[in-house]
Amino acid sequence: DAGVIQSPRHEVTEMGQEVTLRCKPISGHDYLFWYRQTMMRGLELLIYFNNNVPIDDSGMPEDRFSAKMPNASFSTLKIQPSEPRDSAVYFCASSYQGSGNTIYFGEGSWLTVV
Amino acid sequence: GENVEQHPSTLSVQEGDSAVIKCTYSDSASNYFPWYKQELGKRPQLIIDIRSNVGEKKDQRIAVTLNKTAKHFSLHITETQPEDSAVYFCAAKITGGGNKLTFGTGTQLKVEL
């Protein structure tokens, strides 16, 4: 398996623009997570899905952030409008309930908002 | 919700020495404790994990211990090598909390020659 695949790997955008991050989880995994990593706040869980259904979005910072999982092999995290404080690395991760909880991370999307 | 504290935030050791990183958790219902290693510019990768029915687990030069009573767990790296230099994260998962992990704040380990 190719692992969790994220795109884009790097994005630089201007404040106010819409940003869409994409994720393809490992085939067969039933959990999908979106994490944000910054120096100040470390690894924060934004939202996670189980069988394509959002379970906990309490980590989503505000209404500018939204996430969807239309099917088992695709998810998006959208920021609209983007702000400089959204600059971070966004990791998508997936796991399979039967795998004993091991979570596998994608390579991350490095977002810079100027 | 679960809260995980990790210490120290930075750790510098000489090559060949041992390194110990400690974490505490708040929710006694936590039952799974993984450790991730993140090299600069890379993704976090699982290096070892332990479940609440086990007190210690070892894999070559790394080991993890768990004290459920005190609600803390530790990562031990022996005979450290320069390639061990990275950021290490502990995490905890609550029973019945889906597969949701709460991470510690990370420890920057530097192994000096």
Side-chain angles (χ1 to χ4, degrees):
Chain A
D1 198 307
V4 177
I5 299 173
Q6 292 187 244
S7 65
R9 290 293 318 280
H10 299 272
E11 176 139 352
V12 180
T13 191
E14 292 186 347
M15 182 174 62
Q17 296 298 305
E18 178 179 291
V19 173
T20 300
L21 308 178
R22 299 172 178 79
C23 176
K24 181 181 187 306
I26 294 173
S27 178
H29 281 195
D30 52 358
Y31 282 87
L32 184 139
F33 307 84
W34 282 101
Y35 282 90
R36 178 172 68 177
Q37 186 174 37
T38 61
M39 288 293 293
M40 291 297 293
R41 302 174 69 93
L43 269 167
E44 301 174 274
L45 177 65
L46 301 178
I47 186 171
Y48 79 96
F49 297 82
N50 178 217
N51 292 321
N52 314 337
V53 176
I55 302 300
D56 183 352
D57 65 354
S58 59
M60 295 287 263
E62 48 199 274
D63 292 345
R64 297 185 298 106
F65 286 68
S66 62
K68 294 182 180 180
M69 192 166 185
N71 57 63
S73 58
F74 184 66
S75 177
T76 59
L77 178 67
K78 189 173 292 188
I79 308 172
Q80 167 63 22
S82 58
E83 297 181 2
R85 60 192 169 122
D86 301 330
S87 298
V89 183
Y90 291 82
F91 286 103
C92 178
S94 71
S95 70
Y96 170 55
Q97 182 68 42
S99 72
N101 308 308
T102 302
I103 290 180
Y104 299 89
F105 284 82
E107 297 279 10
S109 291
W110 297 66
L111 174 66
T112 302
V113 183
V114 297
Chain B
E2 175 67 283
N3 182 50
V4 177
E5 295 190 358
Q6 183 172 349
H7 301 281
S9 57
T10 60
L11 179 59
S12 184
V13 300
Q14 294 293 315
E15 183 180 8
D17 288 350
S18 295
V20 180
I21 302 170
K22 299 181 179 181
C23 289
T24 59
Y25 60 98
S26 60
D27 197 321
S28 57
S30 292
N31 66 344
Y32 174 67
F33 308 91
W35 287 87
Y36 283 80
K37 175 183 180 182
Q38 186 178 26
E39 297 176 349
L40 188 63
K42 301 289 183 64
R43 74 181 92 185
Q45 292 194 292
L46 179 72
I47 56 171
I48 194 167
D49 56 13
I50 192 168
R51 301 180 193 284
S52 58
N53 59 346
V54 176
E56 183 173 357
K57 183 177 179 180
K58 191 173 181 180
D59 182 3
Q60 299 182 5
R61 295 187 298 107
I62 60 173
V64 57
T65 58
L66 171 65
N67 184 326
K68 285 186 63 181
T69 303
K71 289 191 284 188
H72 66 67
F73 56 113
S74 301
L75 177 71
H76 304 253
I77 306 173
T78 59
E79 301 172 29
T80 54
Q81 301 169 4
E83 52 265 39
D84 295 330
S85 296
V87 178
Y88 292 81
F89 292 94
C90 63
K93 187 191 88 70
I94 299 174
T95 304
N99 273 7
K100 173 182 174 180
L101 288 178
T102 300
F103 282 87
T105 49
T107 296
Q108 173 76 61
L109 173 64
K110 183 177 181 182
V111 180
E112 299 178 335
L113 297 172

